[in-house]
Amino acid sequence: MTRLLSMRLAIIGAAAALLAGCATGPDYHAPTLAALKVPEQFTTGTRETSADADLARWWRAFDDSILTTLVERGLATNLDIDEAGSRVRAARADLRAARGALLPSLDAFGSGTRQVGERTSGQTSGRASYQIGFDAAYETDIFGGGRRSVEAARATAEGTRANLRAVQLTVAAEIALNYLDAREAQARLRIARDTLSSLDETVEITGWRLKAGLVGSLDLEQARQLRAQTAASVPAIETTYAGAANRLAVLLGEAPGAVNGLLEPAAEPPTAPVVQPAAIPADVVRRRPDVALAERTLAAETARIGVQTAQLYPALVLSGTFSGSGGSLSTAAGDMAGSLVGGITAPIFHGGQIRAAVEAQRASAASALAAYRASVLTALEEAENALVSVSSADRREQALVAAEAAARNAVDIARVQYRSGRTDFQALLESERTLLSSQDSLASARVARAAAAVQLYKALGGGWQAAPAPSSVAAP
């Protein structure tokens, strides 16, 4: 039986090999960088090119152990990453299914019966009968529709891997940005509370001068007003801090409040590192996973043109049944015989539906090409904008450092002069208001410079290279 079955299955395989021809539809070739309009250099001046290893763990360049802990925990536990990993696993299973569809199918069947006779001398006589067999079927991939299906499934699986990397890149950047938001809120709360202490002193001085008849009640009320306005800003800053802290917890796959302990005691925002950006746009295109996803989507859509085109041509189906029967299993197996049948089906009239499906798929491929080209240009745009932002944020911070120092000196001078009666209260009030604004702006500028560095690392495509593979990719 085994030898006969093997010979007949070999006939099916040989027939498939002889009948297989060229695959229908266009062969995919990725567009060149020139066709994608990728320039040789960025218009913004850049410095030395970063190594990929530096971009892979860019968060360590901030020299902040809490930031490093949060990002690396998030890359291991984030639920969006886990979901993307499950999609990778599903796409791999679809690829195996597409490959399996190219192979012959073989199903076994069997049955057994026993006829009971008359009872003689205390025993019951009977006769057994068994039937076993196999059904084999194979649709030959003459025009390559099945092979194009495998090609599309492979590109889709590779696209889900690129999507996973894109999610990892985004999660790393989002954790860093929310961490900066939390530290900025802490810094602004410290500034507001320090300012309240200073304003309490101003209110107290004004009260003494009012009692002494040196100033009117208007000065005291203005001092109280500025203090109240400053105090009113504290709840809003606290809300911003809570939102950033809760978002960090969710990004780590935890309930809100789970990372509050890591953020206490309050600390200054990390200093932005000196970024050494990649100077070659082609490197950005190569490194960005969202661009890779768009390219793999284009490859899959192109392959599906061949899948649809193959429906216009005849299909050859080979099928066979091999069976045997006997009074025992061995007899049934030895008596096995069967037949091999070939059948051809061909489309004759379908109201133009097949050609319409081909045309629709060509349009889908054209759309995917446009989306791919747009993703490349968007990646370059983001990198170019991030380069400008880093430079601008650096200059802005330097200017605000000088402004804050001048405002601090102005308050000291105004307070001394007010106590000695050489200036009016309005000058002191305005100088304190200016100092508060300068301190608040400087704190925000320092965080903005660090955030610009994060956005640049993200735009350059860094952050996914060192991320661990989620367990959902290989889950049982």
Side-chain angles (χ1 to χ4, degrees):
M1 174 196 71
T2 303
R3 182 178 180 185
L4 177 62
L5 179 60
S6 299
M7 289 177 62
R8 293 184 175 179
L9 290 177
I11 293 173
I12 296 177
L18 291 172
L19 291 170
C22 296
T24 55
D27 293 327
Y28 175 72
H29 299 285
T32 64
L33 293 178
L36 295 170
K37 299 182 180 180
V38 177
E40 293 184 359
Q41 297 290 337
F42 289 110
T43 59
T44 304
T46 58
R47 290 160 279 186
E48 297 177 2
T49 302
S50 288
D52 284 354
D54 297 333
L55 285 172
R57 294 181 175 85
W58 54 258
W59 48 87
R60 296 186 179 182
F62 287 84
D63 195 25
D64 187 310
S65 60
I66 302 300
L67 173 60
T68 296
T69 297
L70 289 170
V71 172
E72 295 184 354
R73 273 183 57 184
L75 289 175
T77 60
N78 178 266
L79 296 181
D80 290 334
I81 292 176
D82 194 55
E83 178 186 359
S86 297
R87 292 177 182 175
V88 172
R89 187 162 135 250
R92 287 177 178 174
D94 290 341
L95 175 57
R96 291 195 299 271
R99 287 171 173 165
L102 294 177
L103 302 175
S105 64
L106 187 65
D107 297 307
F109 61 86
S111 64
T113 59
R114 182 178 181 84
Q115 296 179 346
V116 179
E118 296 180 355
R119 185 178 181 88
T120 306
S121 302
Q123 295 184 350
T124 302
S125 61
R127 184 177 61 183
S129 175
Y130 298 93
Q131 183 178 16
I132 59 174
F134 299 91
D135 287 330
Y138 180 61
E139 182 174 348
T140 59
D141 191 30
I142 302 176
F143 297 101
R147 278 169 284 155
R148 292 299 192 197
S149 292
V150 172
E151 185 180 335
R154 182 184 299 110
T156 299
E158 292 166 349
T160 58
R161 169 63 70 176
N163 177 69
L164 169 61
R165 292 170 175 169
V167 174
Q168 290 169 329
L169 179 150
T170 299
V171 166
E174 286 299 308
I175 289 174
L177 292 173
N178 279 276
Y179 177 74
L180 291 173
D181 287 343
R183 291 305 192 198
E184 178 186 3
Q186 289 178 333
R188 293 183 63 204
L189 282 171
R190 176 186 56 76
I191 292 169
R193 287 163 180 162
D194 289 347
T195 301
L196 285 174
S197 297
S198 177
L199 291 174
D200 285 339
E201 182 181 350
T202 299
V203 170
E204 185 178 13
I205 293 172
T206 306
W208 290 339
R209 290 176 63 81
L210 177 63
K211 290 179 180 179
L214 300 175
V215 297
S217 58
L218 178 61
D219 288 359
L220 179 59
E221 293 306 319
Q222 286 179 329
R224 288 174 174 172
Q225 179 190 28
L226 180 57
R227 190 202 181 279
Q229 287 178 336
T230 304
S233 69
V234 171
I237 300 172
E238 289 174 337
T239 299
T240 299
Y241 170 75
N246 291 337
R247 184 61 189 155
L248 279 172
V250 173
L251 286 169
L252 268 62
E254 302 285 348
V259 301
N260 288 5
L262 284 173
L263 300 175
E264 298 295 340
E268 291 296 312
T271 302
V274 177
V275 184
Q276 300 292 335
I280 303 176
D283 287 344
V284 175
V285 173
R286 171 181 59 83
R287 211 183 281 118
R288 289 275 296 246
D290 56 332
V291 174
L293 171 59
E295 187 275 331
R296 289 291 79 197
T297 300
L298 172 59
E301 293 297 330
T302 302
R304 292 189 181 105
I305 295 175
V307 176
Q308 294 295 339
T309 304
Q311 304 302 312
L312 293 169
Y313 300 98
L316 173 60
V317 178
L318 303 176
S319 62
T321 299
F322 309 91
S323 63
S325 61
S328 65
L329 290 175
S330 59
T331 302
D335 188 49
M336 186 171 288
S339 61
L340 180 65
V341 179
I344 295 178
T345 60
I348 300 298
F349 179 75
H350 290 272
Q353 296 179 61
I354 299 176
R355 293 191 181 277
V358 173
E359 181 59 27
Q361 187 55 49
R362 288 187 183 277
S364 295
S367 175
L369 174 59
Y372 175 42
R373 296 178 65 179
S375 72
V376 170
L377 296 180
T378 298
L380 298 177
E381 176 190 18
E382 291 177 355
E384 193 83 61
N385 290 342
L387 289 168
V388 173
S389 294
V390 167
S391 177
S392 299
D394 185 47
R395 296 196 306 273
R396 182 170 183 268
E397 182 184 2
Q398 292 176 14
L400 286 173
V401 166
E404 191 269 347
R408 188 181 298 277
N409 292 335
V411 167
D412 292 340
I413 294 171
R415 185 170 285 122
V416 171
Q417 291 181 343
Y418 180 69
R419 284 177 175 176
S420 63
R422 289 181 294 167
T423 188
D424 59 13
F425 181 72
Q426 192 62 38
L428 174 60
L429 198 65
E430 186 60 31
S431 64
E432 288 183 328
R433 183 181 289 112
T434 301
L435 176 59
L436 174 60
S437 176
S438 296
Q439 290 177 325
D440 202 63
S441 296
L442 178 57
S444 297
R446 285 174 172 163
V447 171
R449 180 171 166 239
V454 172
Q455 294 289 11
L456 178 56
Y457 285 127
K458 179 184 178 184
L460 295 179
W464 59 265
Q465 297 88 340
S471 58
S472 57
V473 170

